[in-house]
Amino acid sequence: AVAEMRRLLGVLGDGEHLRALAPQPGLDDLPELVSSTRVAGLNASILVEGDPVAVSQGLSLCAYRVVQEALTNTLKHAGPTRAEVRLRWREDALELRVSDDGRAAARDLGEPLVGSSGHGITGMRERAALHSGSVEAGAVSDGGFVVRATIPLAAGSVS
């Protein structure tokens, strides 16, 4: 109940009444999100593993926003690259993995990497924590970046 109240206050607090009335995106909207990143210049793909189950709207929105933020960060920081979104449905959790093969040279040039400024990764972690989940993010040794989120299904499943 507290988590739902926080989400409600977040929607009401931003003053955009029309946006609050629009349906919120969710897991079913991820293919469209990935497609729109291709239009923006990111060579992105999506892979779904396992059998999807019905989840709450809140959990669905959480997963969507984590993927959205990770792809946005890739567009902003990785340069010309390829990204992959992977959803893995396990019996007890939904695993999200967004990886790119972005330029390793950004670290050497002193350019900002994902999470070095702003609140993107912190926001992803906070969203996942509302559903007893977690987010790990970091650079890959041979170049690129990966965001991994695990969200338990027990707390968000629809009966």
Side-chain angles (χ1 to χ4, degrees):
V2 171
E4 289 297 325
M5 181 59 76
R6 286 184 182 150
R7 282 188 222 114
L8 177 60
L9 291 175
V11 169
L12 294 177
D14 67 8
E16 296 182 21
H17 301 297
L18 293 177
R19 190 180 81 184
L21 298 175
Q24 293 293 308
L27 288 165
D28 292 339
D29 300 302
L30 286 177
E32 182 180 334
L33 175 65
V34 170
S35 178
S36 70
T37 61
R38 283 194 289 268
V39 171
L42 177 62
N43 182 7
S45 62
I46 186 168
L47 176 67
V48 178
E49 300 174 350
D51 296 319
V53 298
V55 297
S56 71
Q57 287 180 331
L59 191 147
S60 185
L61 175 62
C62 170
Y64 179 92
R65 294 293 187 213
V66 167
V67 172
Q68 181 183 41
E69 181 65 28
L71 289 173
T72 298
N73 285 341
T74 298
L75 280 166
K76 288 168 57 175
H77 301 290
T81 188
R82 174 166 169 59
E84 179 183 73
V85 175
R86 185 175 293 220
L87 279 74
R88 183 172 171 231
W89 292 93
R90 296 187 343 211
E91 187 174 314
D92 61 340
L94 172 61
E95 292 178 348
L96 305 167
R97 183 177 190 272
V98 181
S99 58
D100 68 62
D101 59 359
R103 57 188 173 173
R107 288 187 288 279
D108 300 329
L109 298 173
E111 295 178 30
L113 290 174
V114 177
S116 64
S117 62
H119 304 288
I121 293 173
T122 300
M124 286 187 268
R125 286 183 176 133
E126 289 172 352
R127 282 184 183 278
L130 288 173
H131 298 280
S132 303
S134 63
V135 171
E136 298 174 8
V140 179
S141 61
D142 60 345
F145 202 84
V146 65
V147 173
R148 289 184 193 92
T150 303
I151 306 169
L153 294 175
S157 295
V158 175
S159 36

